[in-house]
């Protein structure tokens, strides 16, 4: 819900900047998102301005006033600065055009505020406040569209998207972030021009995707991407989840299920909880957790459908996609680990887990355990209330057992009771592959039997070593566990890998 413009919320720093430029004989206006946010009752600490001053003239005006200055965007007419705790970007009026075959803009400086506003992405971002008078300039009906909750472009959407194809991603992002609907003519242009997104750098697309997933309505943003064809370029694994059905083979809509899981995962985030939101790793893993299903779908003789080991295949697909989008290694590791492990819990209620299995669950989840808790709970979308209740009770029981074991054994730091130096001393060997084998043996012992004490661990190590020496060297196996967490545990998992 938008409100009347509250100019009392304008930062004193904004007014100071306006008076500085006015005294120097230049125009300065607050523009774009910060103006939009004033109507939404939101406070921005990163402020965008536009001016008729050239970059050199801007530098002259702010000299001695700015606490810090950077010129990284100078070629595009932008001077950045810091004043107190506020970040400001001041850009010369632009009449900007893009080479249709290039990822980079061709910049031409403009002379009028109106020239600058018409080249902006959407009408809600094409508003300005002249400074220091605070006169609102809104030639394209941004206030009207903001109140209506509709995204439109100042000019034709075709011209806007041809100038910068990333604006199509921004439309989906703003739908999620600002809870807005995209105008029909804008959606139509996105459908017709989705292929233009291929010339945009992976890094720019990634940044928009993160903002979309972290928005208030991520489901709406993803649906727009899929419906317009943008997802075919950015995340083709998601539209692939719309599996075909027929009268003989009925199974749930994996695409809609995945959207619901993402919504539910976001709903579990809590400012005071272990996973405060918005949490991209959790939300994106929820969206992508079943992307291995299309490749693993099989129909049995009775018509039942299965997706055996789809979590293993899905983790590989997610890793490949995130690398293509230039995500950092830590984020890739977070999401792929959650996808790998999202099926591990199923079967717990029926088969029951030993303490050893619970320890392995915690060990394999590592620092993603809290996110895994929320993802697993979010993955229950069945309408069968009895089944949903049973699964919830089972997971409650698992979390209780994890807490009890953690309290009893400091489960978060499960390690063998002898380290590498002690292994070498006891076995009288130097650094070698054998030390790794012995360490792996002791880790398995720790997971299977819990804490048995250093003395008992040493005795078991000596027994193991005697057995190793009795074997032929050709029979010795590398002690380092191989494969993904899901692959290592797949033999211990119950069920067909379908999930609720």
């Amino acid at each position: 819900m938008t409100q009347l413009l509250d100019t009392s919320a304008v930062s004193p720093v904004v007014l100071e900047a306006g008076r500085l430029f006015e005294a120097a004989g230049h125009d300065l206006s607050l523009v774009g998102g910060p103006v939009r946010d004033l109507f939404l009752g939101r406070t921005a600490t990163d402020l965008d301005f536009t001016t008729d001053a050239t970059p050199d003239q801007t530098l002259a005006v702010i000299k001695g006033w700015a606490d810090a200055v950077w010129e990284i965007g100078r070629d595009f007419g932008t001077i950045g600065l810091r004043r107190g705790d506020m970040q400001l970007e001041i850009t010369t009026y632009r009449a900007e055009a893009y080479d249709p075959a290039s990822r980079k803009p061709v910049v031409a400086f403009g002379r009028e505020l109106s020239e600058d506003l018409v080249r902006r992405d959407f009408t809600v971002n094409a508003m300005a406040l002249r400074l220091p008078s605070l006169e609102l300039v809104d030639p394209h009906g941004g206030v009207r569209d903001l109140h209506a909750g509709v995204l439109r472009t100042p000019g034709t959407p075709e011209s806007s998207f041809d100038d910068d194809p990333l604006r199509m991603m921004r439309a989906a992002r703003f739908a999620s972030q600002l809870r807005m609907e995209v105008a029909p003519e804008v959606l139509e242009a996105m459908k017709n021009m989705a292929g233009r997104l291929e010339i945009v750098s992976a890094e720019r697309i990634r940044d928009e995707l993160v903002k979309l997933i972290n928005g208030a309505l991520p489901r709406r943003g993803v649906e727009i991407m899929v419906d317009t064809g943008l997802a075919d370029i950015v995340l083709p694994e998601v539209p692939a989840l719309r599996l075909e059905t027929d009268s003989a083979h009925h199974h749930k809509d994996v695409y809609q299920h995945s959207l619901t899981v993402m919504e539910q995962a976001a709903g579990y985030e809590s400012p005071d909880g272990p996973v405060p939101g918005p949490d991209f790793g959790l939300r994106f893993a929820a969206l992508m957790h079943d992307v291995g299903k299309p490749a693993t779908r099989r129909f049995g003789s009775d018509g039942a459908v299965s997706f055996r080991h789809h979590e293993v295949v899905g983790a590989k697909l997610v890793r490949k996609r995130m690398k293509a989008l230039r995500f950092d290694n830590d984020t890739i590791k977070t999401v792929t680990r959650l996808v790998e492990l999202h099926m591990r819990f199923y079967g717990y209620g029926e088969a029951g887990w030993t303490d050893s299995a619970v320890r392995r669950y915690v060990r394999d989840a590592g620092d993603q355990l809290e996110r895994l808790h929320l993802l697993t709970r979010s993955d229950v979308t069945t309408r069968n209330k009895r089944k949903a209740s049973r699964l919830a009770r089972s997971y409650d029981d698992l979390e209780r057992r994890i807490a009890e074991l953690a309290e009893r054994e400091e489960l978060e730091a499960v390690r063998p009771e002898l380290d590498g130096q002690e292994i070498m001393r006891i076995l009288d060997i130097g650094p070698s592959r054998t030390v790794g084998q012995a360490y792996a043996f002791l880790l398995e012992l720790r997971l299977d039997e819990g804490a048995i004490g250093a003395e008992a661990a040493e005795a078991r190590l000596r027994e193991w070593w005697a057995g190793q020496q009795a074997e032929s060297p050709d029979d010795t196996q590398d002690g380092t566990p191989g494969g993904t967490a899901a692959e290592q545990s797949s033999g211990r998992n119950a069920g067909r890998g379908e999930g609720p």
Side-chain angles (χ1 to χ4, degrees):
M1 177 67 69
T2 57
Q3 58 188 36
L4 295 177
L5 178 63
D6 180 10
T7 55
S8 68
V10 176
S11 168
V13 171
V14 172
L15 298 175
E16 286 178 23
R19 286 191 288 268
L20 279 174
F21 276 77
E22 183 181 50
H26 296 295
D27 295 334
L28 184 72
S29 298
L30 186 67
V31 70
V35 179
R36 178 199 68 219
D37 288 347
L38 284 171
F39 283 97
L40 296 174
R42 304 191 327 192
T43 301
T45 56
D46 295 338
L47 303 173
D48 294 326
F49 298 82
T50 188
T51 180
D52 62 350
T54 65
D56 285 341
Q57 291 170 330
T58 293
L59 287 170
V61 172
I62 64 174
K63 184 178 181 180
W65 179 74
D67 296 324
V69 176
W70 49 94
E71 303 179 38
I72 192 170
R74 184 182 182 131
D75 290 345
F76 298 99
T78 299
I79 300 297
L81 64 99
R82 178 176 55 81
R83 171 73 173 178
D85 60 355
M86 308 293 283
Q87 302 280 352
L88 288 69
E89 286 194 350
I90 301 174
T91 303
T92 305
Y93 292 152
R94 290 192 290 190
E96 190 171 69
Y98 281 70
D99 180 344
S102 173
R103 294 179 176 183
K104 297 182 178 180
V106 178
V107 177
F109 294 150
R111 297 183 177 182
E112 301 291 337
L113 178 59
S114 59
E115 289 182 88
D116 187 88
L117 295 180
V118 76
R119 54 154 289 276
R120 293 186 176 266
D121 51 7
F122 301 103
T123 60
V124 297
N125 294 329
M127 300 183 287
L129 278 182
R130 290 190 183 274
L131 300 172
S133 67
L134 298 179
E135 173 195 350
L136 178 66
V137 181
D138 181 19
H140 305 289
V143 173
R144 174 202 63 209
D145 290 341
L146 199 57
H147 277 281
V150 177
L151 280 174
R152 303 182 193 278
T153 53
T156 66
E158 290 80 8
S159 175
S160 179
F161 298 154
D162 200 46
D163 279 350
D164 186 359
L166 187 68
R167 290 173 175 173
M168 293 184 284
M169 279 290 294
R170 285 202 194 114
R173 187 249 289 188
F174 284 132
S176 168
Q177 207 172 44
L178 302 178
R179 303 173 182 267
M180 300 187 76
E181 299 292 338
V182 182
E185 69 274 13
V186 177
L187 283 173
E188 188 63 26
M190 291 168 68
K191 292 177 183 178
N192 294 334
M193 301 179 68
R196 290 275 292 135
L197 198 61
E198 292 179 343
I199 72 166
V200 180
S201 70
E203 292 83 358
R204 295 181 74 208
I205 291 174
R206 175 202 63 210
D207 291 346
E208 290 296 327
L209 178 64
V210 170
K211 293 174 184 176
L212 183 157
I213 296 297
N214 283 346
L217 299 175
R219 181 177 192 139
R220 180 181 295 176
V222 173
E223 287 176 332
I224 289 172
M225 286 181 60
V226 170
D227 292 344
T228 58
L230 296 179
D232 292 332
I233 297 167
V234 178
L235 290 176
E237 297 82 6
V238 173
L241 293 173
R242 298 179 295 183
L243 302 175
E244 296 180 3
T245 59
D246 56 45
S247 58
H249 302 119
H250 297 288
H251 55 83
K252 66 189 175 188
D253 186 324
V254 183
Y255 169 61
Q256 291 298 327
H257 163 75
S258 298
L259 293 176
T260 300
V261 174
M262 178 176 62
E263 280 187 314
Q264 294 185 165
Y268 276 119
E269 297 167 349
S270 171
D272 301 321
V275 184
D279 189 277
F280 176 79
L282 171 63
R283 295 184 181 199
F284 195 57
L287 175 65
M288 305 291 282
H289 75 286
D290 276 346
V291 296
K293 282 191 171 181
T296 58
R297 182 174 60 157
R298 300 291 184 271
F299 293 110
S301 58
D302 59 352
V305 65
S306 66
F307 305 97
R308 197 166 186 82
H309 302 313
H310 73 273
E311 69 277 16
V312 178
V313 174
K316 293 177 180 177
L317 291 173
V318 169
R319 182 178 292 108
K320 181 179 179 180
R321 180 57 51 199
M322 294 184 73
K323 284 184 177 179
L325 289 171
R326 304 292 194 270
F327 276 94
D328 62 276
N329 289 334
D330 286 344
T331 304
I332 294 174
K333 182 179 178 181
T334 291
V335 177
T336 54
R337 178 54 58 93
L338 291 171
V339 174
E340 285 176 353
L341 295 178
H342 82 272
M343 289 300 300
R344 178 74 71 85
F345 162 72
Y346 299 108
Y348 172 81
E350 291 83 357
W353 282 4
T354 63
D355 285 352
S356 172
V358 175
R359 292 187 192 99
R360 292 176 191 280
Y361 187 77
V362 174
R363 182 196 66 176
D364 290 345
D367 58 3
Q368 300 308 317
L369 181 62
E370 296 296 343
R371 287 189 178 97
L372 182 59
H373 287 334
L374 301 190
L375 175 59
T376 303
R377 291 185 181 276
S378 301
D379 197 19
V380 179
T381 61
T382 177
R383 295 181 181 179
N384 184 324
K385 293 183 179 180
R386 181 176 298 177
K387 181 178 180 181
S389 178
R390 174 175 54 78
L391 288 168
R393 287 195 305 272
S394 293
Y395 207 83
D396 287 343
D397 184 66
L398 175 58
E399 287 202 66
R400 176 189 58 77
R401 289 183 63 192
I402 289 172
E404 289 177 354
L405 282 171
E407 183 177 358
R408 193 165 71 236
E409 303 178 6
E410 296 183 356
L411 189 58
E412 299 85 354
V414 170
R415 295 183 179 89
E417 293 179 272
L418 302 173
D419 62 22
Q421 292 296 324
E422 291 170 314
I423 291 171
M424 289 188 287
R425 176 183 57 79
I426 293 167
L427 301 185
D428 192 24
I429 60 175
S432 63
R433 187 179 70 163
T434 301
V435 178
Q437 294 171 343
Y439 189 92
F441 163 75
L442 290 171
L443 179 59
E444 291 297 310
L445 178 66
R446 176 75 170 81
L447 291 169
D448 286 338
E449 300 183 21
I452 62 175
E455 185 176 343
E458 178 176 341
R460 298 288 288 275
L461 174 63
R462 291 185 183 280
E463 290 176 11
W464 172 85
W465 181 233
Q468 293 294 303
Q469 290 179 310
E471 292 180 359
S472 165
D474 292 340
D475 295 333
T476 301
Q477 299 296 315
D478 189 338
T480 303
T484 65
E487 288 167 332
Q488 292 171 36
S489 64
S490 60
R492 295 189 292 272
N493 291 341
R496 298 182 302 180
E498 296 176 46

